[in-house]
Amino acid sequence: MALDTRTGRRPSFAATLWGSTVGKKTVMAVSGLIMLLYLVVHMIGNLKIFFGAAEFNHYAHWLRVVGEPFMHEEWTLWLVRVVLLAAVVAHATSAYQLSRRDIRARPGTYVHRKPRSSYATRTMRWGGIILGLFLVWHLLDLTTGTVHAGFRPGHPYQNVVDTFSTWYGNVIYLVAMLALGLHIRHGFWSAAQTLGVGSRARDRALKTTANALALVLTVGFVSVPVAVMTGVVS
């Protein structure tokens, strides 16, 4: 292990891992899987809106008191938020640094055209930016109510219905969910390759799983605004 020229000390294992391309890809894969697990749980919770306002509002309240009496009110919720924030920051940072490293490694133009990649692969970077911007909007809309004119604290069902009763709320959400589906479709398979799960024998199963996850999550999340727009949820 080489010495750090600035400190004269051997870098730690964590610093060495983070400084390598493999390390950054591993961080990106693990943080992505953490967010994927959250998305599955979040989608299932969102679908409770189809059981009426009482059921949905009760679920929203339970999120604030889960873990009691051992955990104080909202402690578990904030713990989840901190883990998710760390995952988002780690994922975005590693993605950006890998992108910059890739650009530096090939500054010139290709003599031969690269093989045509899938639409999901070619839009991973823009999809990530779209999802990052959407996350900020989503929090300001349904968590803090900053950009939600009719926001009513303690009434999550009505807040969701209000959001999806506006054209811009639907457009922002639908575009973001389509970007999410494409991101998951490519990202899940890439994470499996990075973590050593992928192989020729498993590629078909992994790609099928990635497509299924992307489809289920996209349809699950999109079903809520569609239900509001069509009057199924009101």
Side-chain angles (χ1 to χ4, degrees), residues 68-121:
E68 288 189 343
F70 178 73
M71 299 290 281
H72 189 66
E73 183 177 349
E74 293 195 10
W75 277 14
T76 303
L77 183 60
W78 274 105
L79 179 61
V80 171
R81 287 170 175 168
V82 169
V83 171
L84 281 174
L85 178 60
V88 169
V89 172
H91 196 76
T93 302
S94 54
Y96 174 76
Q97 293 185 357
L98 283 169
S99 176
R100 298 301 302 172
R101 183 170 292 186
D102 183 51
I103 291 173
R104 287 196 300 268
R106 48 180 178 82
T109 57
Y110 287 97
V111 176
H112 303 290
R113 290 180 62 87
K114 293 178 66 178
R116 185 174 177 82
S117 57
S118 69
Y119 182 75
T121 302

Side-chain angles (χ1 to χ4, degrees), residues 1 4 44 66 91 145 161 171 190 214 225:
M1 186 181 293
D4 189 321
I44 294 173
V66 63
H91 196 76
V161 172
V171 169
S190 295

Side-chain angles (χ1 to χ4, degrees), residues 7 11-12 39 49 62 72 78 80 104 117 134 138 193 204 213:
T7 63
S12 66
L39 287 170
I49 200 167
W62 173 80
H72 189 66
W78 274 105
V80 171
R104 287 196 300 268
S117 57
F134 169 74
H138 196 52
Q193 305 306 308
R204 178 173 294 182
L213 278 170

Side-chain angles (χ1 to χ4, degrees), residues 170-184:
N170 287 316
V171 169
I172 292 172
Y173 195 85
L174 293 176
V175 169
M177 291 308 100
L178 292 177
L180 176 66
L182 291 173
H183 209 75
I184 291 172

Side-chain angles (χ1 to χ4, degrees), residues 1 10-24 26-27:
M1 186 181 293
R10 295 184 184 278
S12 66
F13 174 77
T16 301
L17 181 66
W18 175 248
S20 68
T21 296
V22 172
K24 292 183 188 299
T26 301
V27 170

Side-chain angles (χ1 to χ4, degrees), residues 152-193:
R152 298 173 61 192
H155 295 79
Y157 181 91
Q158 191 57 51
N159 291 334
V160 170
V161 172
D162 286 346
T163 285
F164 297 132
S165 296
T166 62
W167 68 268
Y168 56 86
N170 287 316
V171 169
I172 292 172
Y173 195 85
L174 293 176
V175 169
M177 291 308 100
L178 292 177
L180 176 66
L182 291 173
H183 209 75
I184 291 172
R185 181 174 177 267
H186 178 71
F188 179 83
W189 185 83
S190 295
Q193 305 306 308

